Amino acid sequence: MSADLLTGKSVVVTRASHQSSDLIQAFGEVGAEVIPAPAIAVVPPLDGGQPLDDALLRLERFSWLAFTSSNAVSALMARAARRGVLKKIEGLRIAAIGLSTAAKVQSELKREPDLVPINSDGMSLAEAFPAPTSDDHVLIPMASDGRTELYEGLQNKGWKVDRVAAYRTVVPSLEDDLVTRAISADAVTFASPSAVNGHLEQTGGQTATKIIAIGNTTAAECRIQGLEVAGVAKNQTTDDLVQAVIGVLV
């Protein structure tokens, strides 16, 4: 990829600070002026994580773990390590909602997921699940305010499903000059529906002219909020999001 494709263009990265370094670097490598403006931060759930602990201490009840975000993978693995139950996860089958979550599974669990849908959304993941046997039981660690399509879709297929809060997202404050730079940029990127809502809260409903989403679920949230989406990444990966921005701005 040419190092000057986005020279003279400014791009807002709204990912949480702990997740944004790869994307910031990738945009820098193609010459963009990168404006880091984290629209969400990941913090522990308000319940203190006790329901997640309870699920982890009873992992033998479950046959599958289903992850709808890389944050859910990180949160569950950190909690499992503290509770000394990492070995129990080895016996479970793993589902991941998309390629970035699958990559996080590979990084954290040192194995490929057993199931990744073609389309990266909760309903597609539910549809990709096989028919359950009488003993099948799924654990979904998720954001406390996370979307429910996977949970509902699996229930409708006859699965026994437990969902527990593994983390929650909050909206960080941004300095006024950073807000001004963000809404004046050539493009803004969103990697989750929560980032869309967080950014709009931070900016009083304003955004950069061109909006690029990492996937269809995030794009749908943009449209729900009355935003016009200029581009959608082909896959939920850093490279594809950068390519989508290039396709819009070049």
Side-chain angles (χ1 to χ4, degrees):
M1 206 181 301
S2 174
D4 60 358
L5 280 171
L6 292 182
T7 297
K9 302 294 185 181
S10 53
V11 180
V12 182
V13 172
T14 59
R15 268 182 172 162
S17 295
H18 73 283
Q19 293 178 303
S20 62
S21 59
D22 288 352
L23 189 56
I24 290 171
Q25 179 179 340
F27 278 124
E29 288 173 352
V30 291
E33 175 197 350
V34 184
I35 302 173
I40 61 171
V42 176
V43 298
L46 289 173
D47 60 25
Q50 189 59 51
L52 180 56
D53 281 348
D54 291 344
L56 288 170
L57 294 173
R58 295 179 293 125
L59 275 178
E60 62 277 357
R61 297 179 59 213
F62 301 99
S63 47
W64 282 81
L65 264 176
F67 292 113
T68 58
S69 71
S70 57
N71 285 323
V73 179
S74 297
L76 180 130
M77 292 300 289
R79 202 85 184 187
R82 287 198 294 270
R83 295 295 171 261
V85 297
L86 287 173
K87 291 291 288 183
K88 290 185 177 182
I89 295 175
E90 294 178 2
L92 303 180
R93 301 189 75 186
I94 306 293
I97 198 168
L99 294 179
S100 61
T101 303
K104 192 66 173 178
V105 169
Q106 174 66 44
S107 173
E108 295 267 359
L109 281 75
K110 311 305 179 189
R111 57 181 279 199
E112 297 285 344
D114 299 283
L115 180 64
V116 183
I118 295 174
N119 297 316
S120 302
D121 60 77
M123 186 54 67
S124 294
L125 181 53
E127 291 173 352
F129 261 78
T133 69
S134 59
D135 295 329
D136 275 329
H137 200 156
V138 185
L139 174 63
I140 307 176
M142 57 188 294
S144 55
D145 57 348
R147 301 170 72 89
T148 61
E149 288 96 334
L150 175 60
Y151 173 76
E152 293 166 355
L154 288 174
Q155 280 197 319
N156 290 338
K157 289 185 74 167
W159 284 82
K160 292 178 285 188
V161 190
D162 283 10
R163 55 176 177 157
V164 293
Y167 66 96
R168 62 189 173 98
T169 58
V170 296
V171 180
S173 297
L174 299 181
E175 297 290 339
D176 290 347
D177 63 334
L178 180 53
V179 171
T180 299
R181 290 177 63 209
I183 63 180
S184 302
D186 293 297
V188 59
T189 60
F190 293 120
S192 67
S194 56
V196 176
N197 293 306
H199 186 72
L200 293 176
E201 181 178 328
Q202 292 168 327
T203 65
Q206 301 180 75
T207 70
T209 304
K210 301 296 185 182
I211 295 168
I212 297 91
I214 201 169
N216 291 327
T217 300
T218 301
E221 185 62 32
C222 290
R223 297 183 182 106
I224 288 170
Q225 299 305 325
L227 305 177
E228 182 178 346
V229 178
V232 181
K234 183 178 180 180
N235 295 298
Q236 290 189 353
T237 67
T238 293
D239 287 345
D240 283 317
L241 185 54
V242 172
Q243 287 287 2
V245 173
I246 291 170
V248 169
L249 295 183
V250 175

